[in-house]
Structure formats: structure tokens, C-alpha cells
Amino acid sequence: MLPHRSKRYAGIDGEIPRLKLATGWQLLLIGFMVVTLLAVVFPRKELVAKLYEQETLDELTLSYIQNLYRASAGNLDVALLLARVQQHKLDLPTLRLMLLSAAAEGDLRQRTAARTILLSAYDRHLQKSTAAEQLAELRQGLPAFLDPALADPMTESMAQQFADLAFTLDNPAAGLQFITKAQKSSGPDALERYAVRGLATGNYEQAARYYFMAQQQTEPYTDKRRLFMAGVDTLMAGGLYARAMSAASTHLGALAQDRVTLRYLARVALAAGYPNEANAYAKALIFQPQGAQP
């Protein structure tokens, strides 16, 4: 025996007409009600604000935030929250993609949070990889990160981190600007303090850069000599012998007529295994013209 509906359409050839469960406006109304209900149950702004206070997120909450980020990638707070929670799992290119907008276009709170995460990511990346190609890529994209930050107020610690990053990626102009932000004056005393700080962390090349910059900004001749020698000694202490010889030649300047400096460089060149340079400095010392020594 056929069911009732089958009897009803038994004599109809072709497709059986389908019953309408709801009209178009009814479906639209149902969809609106569902969206409204979700907005009430999951208030995004309030939820994200509460999650900001948590150091870690459980798997379910993290999954919700990831889906929320996919649905609204332009939401800076969601991007910041997701990046903060996963910053040690995500690589630098991914974090840059997520946070560069927040670092440049958000409010001051968002910009500061994004820059804090990115600075830590740059530091971790540079500690792991120093390949020439990757460093070149970082240098190319660095202005987009540095330039907006120069216009904002920041703590001395953050300004120093920016300066270190700029110098590491061969952008000394930006580095000096951030030092100026860290200190009201980027004079030789401040630069020498940063050099000592670099030595304390074992960053010999960075510390030497600060010494040589301090040398360029100081006036007393004896201070110029002392800072120059400190820069060369720093590179030697780090085993960067070729770099020490190159820096000595670059930053010698007026000290090229100073007997104490030339005698020092002759000894350093021999210790570094550069006899030709040692011979050149010794000859310069012997054939100094009368009255050349300050």
C-alpha cells in the first residue's frame, strides 16, 4: 500500500512538486535572528577585551579566536590577541603580516602592543638565522616597521630595542633617531652606556658600533682615542679580527697622526694575524712628520 503522499502524486508524470517549508522573507528573518543571537551570546568586543587579560588560552577559546580572525582579519584587537598567544609558535613573516597594520594604523595602545611582539620576533629570528638573503629581505621591509614608530612616544627600553634592530640591519640613521628618543641627547655619554650594555649581553659588534659613534661625537682628543681603542678592543674580544681591522681603518680619522694610536694599532694588527697592516702602522709611526702628534 502506498503512503498517503505517494497516492496523492501517483498520477503525476515528471518531477513531484516540493512543499515550501518557509518563504524567502521568513528565511531572512530566521537568519537575522540567528546572527542577533550569536552577537548576544558571543559579544566579540567584550570577549576579546576579557581574553586580553589572560596569559594563556584553552584550546576551545583559541580555536574560536582563530575562526574570528579568519572571519575578520581587519580586526586589530583580534590579530593582536592571536599573535600574543601564539608569538612563540609563529615565524616572523607571519607575525609581520598579522601585525604591521596594527603597528602603523591602530591606536597608541594597539601600536605599542604590536611593536612589542614584533621586536621580540625580530630578536628571536636574528638569533636563529643570519643568512645573507634573509637579512636582505628584512632590511627591505624594515622601514615599514621603523618609520611609523619614530613619530610615537615610547619607553627608553623600547626605543633602545628599536635602535639595536636598526643598527643590526644596517640602518644607522634610524638607529640614531631612536637613541635620541631613548635619551634627550644622543651624546657620547649615552652612546658609551649603550656600548657597555651591548658588551654585557655579548653583542660585540653592536657595542663596537656605539663606541665608534661616540668617538665621532666627542671633542676632546684623548676621549676620541679612548673610544676608538674601546671599539677596536671590543671587536677583538669577540674574535672579529677582520672586522676590527676594517673598522680601525674606517674610523681612524685624525688619529692617523697620533703616535699612541699607531703604536696600539701595530700591536693589535699583529695579535689579529695581519702582519701587513701591522707593518703599515709601524711605518706610519716611524715616519711621522715633526709636530704631528697633538
Side-chain angles (χ1 to χ4, degrees):
M1 179 178 290
L2 292 174
H4 176 70
R5 188 171 182 274
S6 299
K7 291 179 181 179
R8 182 178 177 183
Y9 297 107
I12 297 179
D13 295 331
E15 185 178 356
I16 297 175
R18 297 180 179 275
L19 296 176
K20 288 187 177 181
L21 299 179
T23 61
W25 69 268
Q26 288 175 326
L27 290 174
L28 185 62
L29 179 60
I30 292 171
F32 176 76
M33 291 175 64
V34 171
V35 171
T36 304
L37 181 62
L38 287 174
V40 172
V41 176
F42 300 107
R44 295 184 178 185
K45 188 173 182 179
E46 291 79 1
L47 179 61
V48 170
K50 290 180 180 179
L51 292 175
Y52 256 115
E53 301 173 2
Q54 300 183 19
E55 291 296 328
T56 58
L57 300 179
D58 58 77
E59 291 298 326
L60 181 60
T61 307
L62 179 59
S63 177
Y64 172 73
I65 293 298
Q66 289 172 333
N67 290 330
L68 191 58
Y69 175 72
R70 294 189 190 99
S72 55
N75 189 320
L76 300 184
D77 279 323
V78 174
L80 281 168
L81 176 59
L82 186 59
R84 179 177 66 81
V85 174
Q86 293 193 303
Q87 59 180 304
H88 295 287
K89 297 180 180 179
L90 301 176
D91 58 15
L92 177 60
T94 302
L95 286 171
R96 280 174 50 85
L97 187 63
M98 292 175 65
L99 297 180
L100 272 183
S101 294
E105 301 169 7
D107 57 33
L108 183 58
R109 174 188 61 81
Q110 292 169 332
R111 295 197 298 271
T112 301
R115 288 163 186 165
T116 301
I117 296 171
L118 284 173
L119 283 169
S120 297
Y122 269 104
D123 184 56
R124 290 193 302 272
H125 182 84
L126 290 171
Q127 287 181 7
K128 294 178 181 177
S129 176
T130 55
E133 293 182 0
Q134 293 184 349
L135 289 177
E137 291 178 2
L138 291 182
R139 292 189 193 100
Q140 187 175 5
L142 192 62
F145 181 46
L146 297 183
D147 293 347
L150 284 169
D152 282 345
M154 62 182 61
T155 63
E156 179 180 350
S157 175
M158 178 173 282
Q160 179 58 40
Q161 285 181 284
F162 269 108
D164 290 344
L165 177 62
F167 285 121
T168 299
L169 294 178
D170 296 328
N171 193 335
L176 283 173
Q177 288 179 285
F178 280 109
I179 288 178
T180 303
K181 291 177 73 67
Q183 295 283 123
K184 292 184 178 179
S185 171
S186 60
D189 291 340
L191 291 167
E192 190 170 359
R193 284 197 297 274
Y194 293 136
V196 172
R197 186 181 302 176
L199 273 174
T201 59
N203 197 336
Y204 296 100
E205 194 161 5
Q206 191 73 276
R209 283 200 184 106
Y210 286 130
Y211 277 127
F212 290 132
M213 284 189 294
Q215 174 206 349
Q216 294 171 1
Q217 295 191 23
T218 193
E219 292 299 329
Y221 198 85
T222 53
D223 285 343
K224 283 184 176 292
R225 177 199 293 155
R226 177 179 62 82
L227 292 168
F228 171 80
M229 290 181 178
V232 175
D233 285 342
T234 297
L235 293 171
M236 292 290 291
L240 305 171
Y241 303 131
R243 182 77 182 87
M245 292 296 95
S246 174
S249 176
T250 301
H251 298 286
L252 185 58
L255 294 172
Q257 296 182 345
D258 179 50
R259 292 183 180 276
V260 175
T261 302
L262 291 173
R263 191 177 297 112
Y264 159 80
L265 287 175
R267 293 197 301 268
V268 167
L270 279 176
Y274 287 79
N276 292 335
E277 284 77 0
N279 186 44
Y281 288 126
K283 286 182 177 179
L285 176 62
I286 293 171
F287 296 105
Q288 276 292 316
Q290 287 292 337
Q293 183 176 1

